[in-house]
Amino acid sequence: MEFIFKSIGIGLLSVLVILLVVFLLVFRRIIKSVRLAMRTFNNATTTNTNAQSAQRAGKEGEVIIDHRTSERINQKIFEQNEGEYVDFTEEK
């Protein structure tokens, strides 16, 4: 009889240990997901804060918000080999 009680006790103890390990693994995965979400949110917030925002009025009171960086705003639209002036000859 004592052997049966010990077997049941060991069985219950092993089940409890297995449940504890599973709980800890699930908890660890949840914490990793939350940290990843926080990191993604913080990176997006930092990017928006660092980007230069310019507001200007559009037609009928619309407000246009420009989130481009200063490098992108000051970027030339012509390529290096293109000029701003075009040589032409007048035809008669």
Side-chain angles (χ1 to χ4, degrees):
M1 190 74 163
E2 187 177 319
F3 174 75
I4 294 173
F5 287 136
K6 284 184 180 179
S7 298
I8 291 173
I10 291 173
L12 286 175
L13 185 61
S14 62
V15 168
L16 286 175
V17 168
I18 291 171
L19 287 175
L20 180 64
V21 169
V22 168
F23 173 77
L24 291 175
L25 290 174
V26 169
F27 185 72
R28 180 177 176 216
R29 186 169 182 106
I30 291 170
I31 293 297
K32 284 176 86 173
S33 298
V34 169
R35 284 183 180 168
L36 178 64
M38 287 175 55
R39 190 176 306 124
T40 303
F41 177 76
N42 286 337
N43 287 344
T45 304
T46 304
T47 302
N48 286 341
T49 303
N50 290 340
Q52 179 179 359
S53 295
Q55 292 186 5
R56 55 190 163 100
K59 23 181 188 173
E60 298 179 17
E62 291 178 333
V63 176
I64 301 170
I65 301 173
D66 190 1
H67 292 287
R68 294 179 297 173
T69 62
S70 60
E71 292 86 20
R72 182 82 172 139
I73 290 172
N74 297 328
Q75 180 181 10
K76 291 187 70 144
I77 56 174
F78 298 103
E79 292 183 14
Q80 192 71 301
N81 61 352
E82 293 179 351
E84 295 182 12
Y85 301 100
V86 178
D87 292 333
F88 67 95
T89 57
E90 187 175 335
E91 296 180 7
K92 294 185 183 184

